[in-house]
Amino acid sequence: MPRHILSVDQFDRRFLDDLFADAASLSPRTRYDRLKGRILTNLFYEASSRTSGSFHAAMTRMGGTVIPVQNVQYSSVAKGEDLQDTIRTFGTYSDVIVLRHPEVGAAAAAAEVSEVPVINAGDGIGEHPTQALLDLFTIRRELGRIDNLTITLVGDLKHGRTVHSLVSLLQTHGTNIAFRFVAPDSLRIPYEHRVLPLDYLETDDLDEVISESDVVYMTRAQKERFERDYDHSYGITAGHMARAKPTMVLMHPLPRNGEIPKELDRDPRAAYFRQMENGLRIRMALLSHVLGWRGGFW
Ligand code: ASP
């Protein structure tokens, strides 16, 4: 059975501890040969910079190679080929498929027919499990813990798949986590992602919760998924930063669309570029895992 990565629900604590230990031991600038001779297909039906780029870099750093299908309009998808036939095709040519697709459940549908591991790199507004792994890894590295935290998520919580995955992962693996959901009324987090028991508060005003937050996780408006024009006037300012804890960690899955002004980049609490580098480490370790590397853990 291939080791698919489809949802954060599949991760147990031992998996996270082993993955994070391996990721922390890897250097994103070093060339390893763990995955020499292995091939990854990067199959992206939606735009991507960091997820596709870091999977490509991770596979290359581990000694493997990549078939980049970044523009499906130049593949047989443009001739009407369906997802499962496309998966069978690239499963024949490679050892692992990283899939991003606009439909919720696409990665699961791909896994049904795939003989090689499928990694969900985002399925519509559904999930983005590898982003949640790197987000949790970042929180643990920055703060040294994933318990007794107030996590504030800001922005388009309705469509943001990174939010949906992170909330679920933190609920399962964090202890004593309080959530603060900050969004305009029309972009509130969907009910199914607020599974109780959950210590949470919803507001449209970051001012209300900024001073108690240990982590502020900003997100952009997912305009490509808007069914209509929603209010997306929100953001964090230097004024908010002045009222935040000196240890607060400011995160963003990126890309940003003005929710975090560039003047905040110099603030040591701005962790989004470190978060991005953590993504490379996590994906190096994750590829080792799904491809059954036997030199270390698992
Ligand atoms: N890069 C993240 C994603 O693919 C966040 C975003 O696009 O806003 O979901």
Side-chain angles (χ1 to χ4, degrees):
M1 177 71 179
R3 292 174 172 176
H4 303 299
I5 303 291
L6 303 178
S7 162
V8 291
D9 294 343
Q10 74 189 79
F11 305 140
D12 62 25
R13 191 58 184 251
R14 164 138 191 261
F15 168 84
L16 293 177
D17 288 344
D18 287 348
L19 183 81
F20 289 178
D22 193 38
S25 76
L26 292 167
S27 155
R29 301 267 164 219
T30 301
R31 178 74 188 246
Y32 301 84
D33 62 2
R34 284 185 187 180
L35 303 181
K36 199 164 168 211
R38 303 302 196 88
I39 301 175
L40 172 151
T41 298
N42 240 353
L43 183 58
F44 280 69
Y45 289 71
E46 282 190 337
S48 172
S49 294
R50 272 151 293 271
T51 306
S52 61
S54 63
F55 266 114
H56 195 129
M59 191 61 179
T60 312
R61 292 280 186 207
M62 297 319 254
T65 51
V66 181
I67 303 174
V69 190
Q70 186 83 33
N71 256 328
V72 287
Q73 68 265 35
Y74 298 120
S75 72
S76 285
V77 171
K79 302 180 197 168
E81 186 159 70
D82 75 7
L83 176 63
Q84 290 192 329
D85 284 0
T86 303
I87 291 292
R88 284 183 206 273
T89 304
F90 287 105
T92 307
Y93 306 145
S94 56
D95 304 294
V96 54
I97 299 172
V98 174
L99 174 69
R100 171 167 291 182
H101 196 280
E103 279 162 34
V104 175
E112 270 172 33
V113 297
S114 184
E115 287 177 15
V116 302
V118 171
I119 300 179
N120 182 2
D123 58 335
I125 64 166
E127 277 217 45
H128 196 344
T130 69
Q131 177 77 44
L133 289 173
L134 76 91
D135 290 343
L136 194 67
F137 180 66
T138 300
I139 294 170
R140 201 152 96 169
R141 266 171 95 90
E142 295 284 326
L143 290 171
R145 66 185 200 278
I146 53 167
D147 44 30
N148 300 314
L149 293 171
T150 298
I151 312 270
T152 297
L153 299 113
V154 184
D156 184 355
L157 310 186
K158 177 183 167 88
H159 305 101
R161 57 191 171 199
T162 71
V163 167
H164 304 162
S165 288
L166 181 59
V167 169
S168 170
L169 195 62
L170 275 165
Q171 261 182 268
T172 315
H173 297 285
T175 315
N176 196 19
I177 306 278
F179 291 94
R180 303 292 176 251
F181 298 122
V182 182
D185 204 39
S186 52
L187 295 176
R188 287 168 58 182
I189 189 153
Y191 180 74
E192 63 269 23
H193 295 291
R194 286 176 279 145
V195 182
L196 301 173
L198 182 66
D199 173 358
Y200 80 97
L201 179 144
E202 285 193 88
T203 173
D204 60 2
D205 186 3
L206 180 56
D207 269 318
E208 244 184 72
V209 294
I210 188 70
S211 59
E212 62 171 322
S213 303
D214 296 299
V215 173
V216 174
Y217 189 96
M218 301 296 299
T219 64
R220 76 180 167 98
Q222 308 278 304
K223 287 190 202 145
E224 69 275 34
R225 309 197 197 285
F226 279 16
E227 306 91 49
R228 58 185 173 80
D229 193 21
Y230 297 105
D231 166 24
H232 54 273
S233 50
Y234 54 81
I236 188 161
T237 63
H240 290 122
M241 294 301 278
R243 288 192 297 286
K245 291 184 183 176
T247 53
M248 185 271 274
V249 179
L250 180 60
M251 297 174 65
H252 195 307
L254 301 175
R256 61 178 155 182
N257 286 166
E259 322 70 48
I260 303 182
K262 293 206 168 163
E263 65 185 89
L264 300 190
D265 293 356
R266 284 186 303 274
D267 190 306
R269 295 169 291 180
Y272 30 93
F273 298 129
R274 296 191 290 276
Q275 183 183 355
M276 187 167 80
E277 194 198 71
N278 288 337
L280 183 50
R281 293 170 189 276
I282 284 289
R283 287 168 178 141
M284 289 164 83
L286 190 68
L287 288 172
S288 305
H289 166 65
V290 298
L291 290 172
W293 173 71
R294 296 197 198 284
F297 64 124
W298 300 299

